[in-house]
Amino acid sequence: MSRIGKKPVSLPKGVKVSVADRKISAEGPKGTLTFEHRPEILVTVEDGEVGVGLNEQDLTAKQIGSKQVKALWGTTRALIQNMVTGVEKGYEKKLEVQGVGWTAQVAGTMIKLNVGFAAPAEVEIPMGVSVAVDKQLITITGADKQAVGQLAAKIRSKRPPEPYNGKGIKYSDEVIVRKEGKKFGS
């Protein structure tokens, strides 16, 4: 059995989860998210809890004990938990732009990064994700954990922090281990 998969996901007040065929949808104050699970998995909603189990009638005995099915079971439960948390509270990532004269600004559905290149680097903001820029701090918020994390990773990849001068785009809680430069003379 999957240790993570067998735990039910409890639904907080204001969050509704419905299952139709293989589509799971979660509704809450922060928005609506949908997810289509694999046919090996069975999802049920009862008494304010979402239960995740194996669809044993479609599986053989060999498939039920396989590592892949156990992994899919636990992953499905974790994705449903992330959906419930996202529509209830939402997710947030903070990035810092470090460098003299380096800035970020939101222009419509794009974020423009002036980070030492001849032309500003642009990253498109996906639907359901909002970005706020306050001087050197970029705050990304949204209900979908994957979309928020992916946008933060895309922005960071435009100019990752370097260890010698400390310039670049880094997560606010990230620690950059500084290196000593070359020494001349003896």
Side-chain angles (χ1 to χ4, degrees):
M1 289 192 70
S2 171
R3 283 184 275 164
I4 294 172
K6 65 183 176 182
K7 295 179 187 174
V9 177
S10 61
L11 298 177
K13 288 186 179 180
V15 175
K16 295 178 185 175
V17 174
S18 61
V19 179
D21 294 329
R22 289 180 25 213
K23 287 209 182 266
I24 304 164
S25 64
E27 260 184 70
K30 297 285 185 176
T32 303
L33 295 174
T34 60
F35 167 67
E36 187 171 342
H37 66 83
R38 295 282 302 250
E40 296 94 344
I41 308 301
L42 181 66
V43 179
T44 58
V45 180
E46 296 173 354
D47 302 328
E49 288 186 338
V50 179
V52 181
L54 295 178
N55 191 359
E56 294 181 5
Q57 56 187 332
D58 292 347
L59 298 174
T60 64
K62 186 177 180 181
Q63 287 176 323
I64 289 174
S66 73
K67 280 187 173 184
Q68 182 184 12
V69 171
K70 287 181 184 179
L72 289 173
W73 185 8
T75 301
T76 303
R77 190 255 181 222
L79 290 172
I80 293 170
Q81 178 66 55
N82 289 343
M83 286 172 53
V84 169
T85 304
V87 297
E88 181 195 13
K89 299 176 186 172
Y91 289 99
E92 179 180 87
K93 290 270 187 185
K94 292 187 179 193
L95 298 165
E96 293 177 5
V97 180
Q98 293 185 340
V100 177
W102 290 10
T103 61
Q105 60 186 359
V106 177
T109 61
M110 302 291 279
I111 183 163
K112 291 186 178 184
L113 303 166
N114 295 316
V115 287
F117 298 121
E122 294 183 345
V123 178
E124 187 174 352
I125 302 170
M127 294 292 292
V129 176
S130 62
V131 177
V133 177
D134 182 36
K135 297 182 183 178
Q136 304 297 95
L137 187 68
I138 303 169
T139 306
I140 304 166
T141 56
D144 189 359
K145 184 177 186 177
Q146 191 271 332
V148 170
Q150 184 66 40
L151 180 60
K154 273 186 186 177
I155 292 172
R156 185 183 181 278
S157 73
K158 295 298 177 185
R159 194 69 176 224
E162 54 100 3
Y164 294 102
N165 296 324
K167 297 193 305 186
I169 302 172
K170 69 178 196 84
Y171 296 108
S172 62
D173 58 350
E174 182 179 13
V175 176
I176 306 301
V177 178
R178 300 290 295 268
K179 292 183 179 178
E180 192 173 330
K182 291 183 178 179
K183 291 186 178 178
F184 295 101
S186 51

